[in-house]
Amino acid sequence: MTTFSPAPHIGDDTTIDLEVLRVVEQRVLWLSTAIVDHANRVRPNSSGMKVGGHQASSASIAAIMTALWFEHLRPQDRVSVKPHASPVLHAIEYLLGQLDEEHLTTLRSFGGLQSYPSRTKDPVPADYSTGSVGIGATAPIWGALSRRYVGSHFAEQPRGRQYSLVGDAELDEGACWEAVLDPMVSELGEIVWIVDFNRQSLDRVLPVVGADRMQALFTAAGWQVITVKYGAALEELFTRPGGAALRDRLDTMTNPEYQRLLRHAPDRLRAVLPGTGPDASLITSLLGGIDDARLAEAVRGLGGHDHAALRAAFQAIDDSRPTVIIAYTVKGNGLPTAGHPQNHSALLSGAQIEELAARCGVSTDQPWQRFTAGTAAGDLCVRAAQRLLRDPVHLIPPPAVPADLGRTPAGTATTQSALGRTLLDLNRASPEAGARVVTVSPDVSSSTNLGGWVNKAGIWATSERVNWFHDDDETILHWRERPSGRHIELGIAETNLVGLLGELGATWSRWGQPLLPIGVLYDPFVTRALEPWSFGVYAGGQSILVGTPSGVTLAPEGGAHQSVITPSIGVEQPGCTTWEPAFALDTEWCLLAALGQLGRPGGTSAYLRLSTRPVDQSLAAVPADGAARERRRRQVVAGGYALRRASGAPDVVIAAMGALVPEALRSAARLGDLGVTADVLCLTSPDLLFRAVLARSGRGDAPTWILDVLFPADRAAPLVTVLDGHPHTLAFLAGLTRRGAVHLGVTEFGQSGDLESVHRAHGLDTDSIVAAALDVTQVV
């Protein structure tokens, strides 16, 4: 394992008076609470629907975020903020002068501050978009890997810490632990997770503390674990006579019992806090010397709200390995709802808002007050703003990607094998573009035909590692790990793959260095990775996802591995173009077109669905003439082309996609023998065709010319669509011909078998296509 010497964390402003930090924290608490209050109680709401927001979740982490931004952060650091703390982030941005006052009244309004931090939609772009639980928490891990990759290939970037502010309930998500346990993560010393350990979820107080188990899991994964449990007030009480008994009482108390203490008035608190154990009298004596206000403050005085404890934790971070800080907090700290099990979405009343304003030193008549210049708190805000200034990002234009590599595949080939072949050809034809390609897979490089590319490009690692099989003659896949490698191999966790893919696709906007990232996984598992992949696209990551092998055409794998709904996922995913080519050259053209849209403002992601079915490449009938070849390429990239035209107006049109094009061609030939003429269309992108249909009706600005190519008015005929996926994917095409249509596809779970039997079982074989054409035409 590669280790790094701890880097001095230059930039910590630990000369700050802790009381000044406390003053700033109170203003952050007020502003974050007031932002939610205004959205729900002040701003007109004609719909009467709940606006929402999370005052208690924000209060829980206000001290931690104040300490981080106003004392410890440096410009090269990045922070992923837990979703429900977005008002705290906006409050801090406002105090730092980054966010204008006019935005504070726009939380969750159309075009205003987003519900959760966003890189692409908030007026001050967040470092990481969050919102889907677990995904934002892990994003800095993949951001750290992406920064290191860029540094080892192009230009070294300042090594900043990558912070994740995580609610403890968020750690219930498996995505968190899939990331923590990946072998590459233990090398990332810049990773710091801060767990807002308030022991509440949305609906309840968690019955079991769980801290020991959490600590053990992180420790086993090689992380440094720092626990910040009690604040200075409680720690001082622990030094008094009876203090050890009080500590033991609090340490062994269940979560619900502790939370209930927070709701008691001081007299009742004195009665129940000692408990009924053998040391109850010692605790009672200790509490007798404490006044009511001090007692209430002490019980709530957990380490996550204590700036001295937080400062010590930040200073203890070891930058040679990942770190997790488990900071005990009270959900709703400082609010009347503190500790209540149903405080997650609770809103303060008008009277409670007035009381909070008075306690925080502001007026509800002027709720958006910054600190006065020249005051200690005002000066701290100015210093922090200056310290956190980042240099502007200078975008390096992505390299031009050729549209056609000039090769015409012959013989029998699969679209899956065409992927690796195209990457190798691109590397030779355009070294500048090839150098920006980085591939990622979850332990499926060889089974997805990336072996040749891996042998050529090498495996990326932070340092060169010995290849102990380099002299083994039977070794075909050469696993050369080195900083110059261009393939990243993760463990078998699709969520990790698409998380990394999204961050590799964001390097152009973070550091001005565009990459052309391609993630390859089995198509049946696209749905497993769907949410983080979609969220990565939403957050601005531009990349290519390749699902292969796909459909029931991988017949021996059976129903457990069929991917039925993935074609329509590609159609429905915003910010992404999907293709499903039938031939190797179509795959090359679509892949090159997708690469040409990456790493730039306004760029888009792509999803390619490929197959392991060997197909005779002569069926593609690629034109030999250069102009005709380019015409075919444009049609392939735009969504499809006519593979076979009847001599006159056809009786039926068969529109097929991907691995089932050979069946469509055979069906047309058999129909011809029956006296039924057929056009055969090879569709490559239902996504682009659907956009064209929308644009033709005035609902979009996509080009529509491809519809005229595929479905000219003088060749309108009944339609049969066929694909290895759910038939509704192409059902919208029936509206173009209005002559009747039958849609063939997969609607049931399948089973293992030979290809012919599986296709027949799902009605995808030649007999089924011929029968469907006869039904829809009623010619024979």
Side-chain angles (χ1 to χ4, degrees):
M1 182 181 71
T2 303
T3 58
F4 298 87
S5 300
H9 198 67
I10 300 171
D12 283 0
D13 194 354
T14 52
T15 62
I16 300 170
D17 186 281
L18 294 179
E19 185 53 40
V20 178
L21 271 178
R22 177 68 175 167
V23 170
V24 174
E25 176 205 332
Q26 287 297 294
R27 187 61 56 88
V28 169
L29 173 65
W30 161 254
L31 288 170
S32 61
T33 306
I35 287 170
V36 178
D37 178 71
H38 188 280
N40 287 273
R41 291 198 317 110
V42 180
R43 192 171 69 217
N45 181 0
S46 59
S47 71
M49 296 179 63
K50 172 187 173 182
V51 176
H54 301 86
Q55 292 174 332
S57 295
S58 293
S60 179
I61 203 169
I64 293 171
M65 292 181 65
T66 299
L68 190 56
W69 262 265
F70 290 92
E71 187 171 39
H72 297 284
L73 276 186
R74 304 164 299 171
Q76 64 266 40
D77 298 333
R78 297 290 186 273
V79 187
S80 172
V81 176
K82 73 171 190 174
H84 293 163
S86 64
V88 181
L89 177 63
H90 300 315
I92 289 173
E93 292 167 343
Y94 176 64
L95 291 178
L96 294 176
Q98 299 170 343
L99 186 69
D100 293 335
E101 179 179 326
E102 64 185 24
H103 295 295
L104 300 182
T105 59
T106 67
L107 180 70
R108 300 188 173 209
S109 66
F110 187 79
L113 298 175
Q114 298 300 296
S115 304
Y116 311 118
S118 173
R119 282 197 76 219
T120 57
K121 296 183 182 297
D122 273 324
V124 179
D127 289 336
Y128 292 97
S129 294
T130 57
S132 287
V133 176
I135 296 173
T138 60
I141 288 177
W142 315 124
L145 278 175
S146 300
R147 183 200 64 81
R148 291 194 181 200
Y149 184 91
V150 166
S152 63
H153 287 80
F154 303 107
E156 186 64 43
Q157 305 299 316
R159 180 183 169 184
R161 286 179 180 166
Q162 300 276 341
Y163 291 94
S164 290
L165 306 182
V166 188
D168 53 347
E170 188 167 10
L171 292 178
D172 290 345
E173 282 289 343
C176 294
W177 299 107
E178 288 183 3
V180 167
L181 293 174
D182 192 274
M184 298 191 78
V185 174
S186 61
E187 300 180 350
L188 303 177
E190 58 266 52
I191 296 298
V192 180
W193 282 19
I194 305 172
V195 180
D196 175 10
F197 197 69
N198 59 45
R199 294 172 283 182
Q200 285 188 239
S201 61
L202 190 151
D203 290 327
R204 61 174 181 161
V205 176
L206 301 179
V208 180
V209 174
D212 292 342
R213 179 181 59 180
M214 186 186 301
Q215 292 169 1
L217 288 169
F218 278 106
T219 299
W223 290 48
Q224 175 192 23
V225 179
I226 300 172
T227 301
V228 186
K229 190 167 188 179
Y230 298 119
L234 273 175
E235 290 288 357
E236 192 277 328
L237 289 182
F238 295 155
T239 65
R240 299 186 185 186
L246 177 61
R247 180 193 289 272
D248 184 64
R249 167 82 169 119
L250 291 172
D251 282 346
T252 57
M253 189 178 292
T254 66
N255 289 342
E257 184 180 4
Y258 173 76
Q259 300 281 110
R260 186 66 185 94
L261 290 178
L262 305 178
R263 310 296 302 167
H264 287 314
D267 57 341
R268 180 61 180 161
L269 179 58
R270 288 180 189 279
V272 299
L273 178 54
T276 59
D279 293 330
S281 60
L282 292 174
I283 300 173
T284 300
S285 298
L286 172 61
L287 300 184
I290 306 171
D291 63 37
D292 287 351
R294 176 76 185 280
L295 177 59
E297 176 188 355
V299 171
R300 288 169 170 77
L302 299 181
H305 306 304
D306 187 282
H307 286 285
L310 290 170
R311 175 180 289 176
F314 283 116
Q315 291 176 328
I317 293 173
D318 174 5
D319 284 322
S320 68
R321 55 179 172 152
T323 295
V324 60
I325 299 174
I326 301 174
Y328 281 68
T329 60
V330 174
K331 191 167 183 175
N333 185 61
L335 303 181
T337 57
H340 193 281
Q342 278 84 56
N343 66 7
H344 183 77
S345 298
L347 298 172
L348 270 59
S349 66
Q352 290 171 329
I353 285 288
E354 291 286 350
E355 187 276 331
L356 178 65
R359 179 155 51 84
C360 293
V362 296
S363 167
T364 54
D365 294 331
Q366 295 180 304
W368 316 121
Q369 297 176 30
R370 289 191 174 102
F371 290 108
T372 304
T375 63
D379 290 346
L380 175 57
C381 292
V382 171
R383 292 206 310 274
Q386 293 172 341
R387 169 167 44 85
L388 294 173
L389 282 176
R390 292 173 179 169
D391 294 331
V393 175
H394 299 289
L395 301 182
I396 295 175
V401 177
D404 188 346
L405 299 177
R407 193 171 64 89
T408 303
T412 300
T414 72
T415 54
Q416 177 178 287
S417 64
L419 169 67
R421 178 78 260 171
T422 299
L423 293 179
L424 291 171
D425 290 346
L426 174 64
N427 207 46
R428 286 190 291 267
S430 179
E432 299 82 6
R436 297 279 171 174
V437 171
V438 51
T439 56
V440 189
S441 70
D443 198 34
V444 294
S445 300
S446 56
S447 56
T448 55
N449 285 103
L450 282 180
W453 165 256
V454 168
N455 286 343
K456 175 67 177 179
I459 308 299
W460 178 75
T462 54
S463 61
E464 187 155 0
R465 296 170 179 168
V466 175
N467 176 17
W468 294 102
F469 291 87
H470 70 93
D471 58 350
D472 187 335
D473 293 339
E474 296 183 8
T475 299
I476 299 175
L477 184 64
H478 299 290
W479 211 254
R480 300 186 182 95
E481 298 179 84
R482 54 202 178 194
S484 61
R486 285 183 281 159
H487 175 78
I488 302 176
E489 188 87 358
L490 298 177
I492 308 175
E494 287 77 15
T495 297
N496 288 349
L497 173 127
V498 295
L500 176 56
L501 200 61
E503 289 304 317
L504 289 169
T507 58
W508 68 274
S509 58
R510 289 198 191 282
W511 301 292
Q513 290 285 349
L515 295 176
L516 307 179
I518 303 172
V520 184
L521 77 167
Y522 291 166
D523 195 66
F525 305 143
V526 166
T527 48
R528 183 183 296 179
L530 181 58
E531 185 196 2
W533 172 56
S534 178
F535 201 79
V537 175
Y538 164 80
Q542 299 172 13
S543 60
I544 298 172
L545 185 67
V546 177
T548 182
S550 64
V552 297
T553 298
L554 62 156
E557 296 289 344
H561 276 180
Q562 68 187 25
S563 50
V564 175
I565 65 173
T566 48
S568 57
I569 286 173
V571 175
E572 296 156 11
Q573 174 60 47
C576 175
T577 303
T578 186
W579 286 280
E580 184 171 346
F583 300 104
L585 186 54
D586 295 356
T587 303
E588 173 191 304
W589 286 337
C590 293
L591 179 62
L592 294 175
L595 289 169
Q597 291 299 313
L598 302 179
R600 66 191 68 221
T604 58
S605 294
Y607 166 43
L608 271 68
R609 192 171 185 257
L610 305 183
S611 173
T612 52
R613 183 187 188 184
V615 173
D616 179 0
Q617 297 302 298
S618 67
L619 296 177
V622 179
D625 178 80
R629 178 186 175 102
E630 172 59 16
R631 179 175 179 270
R632 165 71 68 85
R633 186 200 67 81
R634 290 183 64 244
Q635 292 174 2
V636 166
V637 171
Y641 55 96
L643 191 53
R644 167 181 168 148
R645 290 290 194 194
S647 58
D651 296 317
V652 67
V653 173
I654 303 173
M657 193 165 74
L660 293 177
V661 167
E663 275 76 10
L665 289 170
R666 286 198 294 270
S667 299
R670 283 179 53 184
L671 287 167
D673 294 339
L674 296 173
V676 179
T677 59
D679 283 357
V680 176
L681 307 180
C682 180
L683 305 184
T684 55
S685 177
D687 174 19
L688 293 176
L689 296 181
F690 185 70
R691 293 189 215 179
V693 169
L694 290 180
R696 178 177 278 185
S697 62
R699 293 174 175 83
D701 57 0
T704 62
W705 62 268
I706 190 63
L707 300 179
D708 297 322
V709 170
L710 293 172
F711 301 98
D714 61 348
R715 302 191 72 82
L719 178 67
V720 175
T721 65
V722 57
L723 77 155
D724 190 352
H726 199 283
H728 87 273
T729 306
L730 298 176
F732 69 92
L733 294 174
L736 293 174
T737 60
R738 301 180 182 179
R739 296 288 197 280
V742 174
H743 305 292
L744 304 180
V746 182
T747 58
E748 303 289 340
F749 288 114
Q751 58 180 305
S752 300
D754 61 274
L755 187 62
E756 183 179 353
S757 297
V758 169
H759 280 180
R760 185 185 306 113
H762 291 283
L764 303 175
D765 60 321
T766 303
D767 284 349
S768 298
I769 299 173
V770 169
L774 296 177
D775 288 342
V776 77
T777 59
Q778 298 182 352
V779 173
V780 177

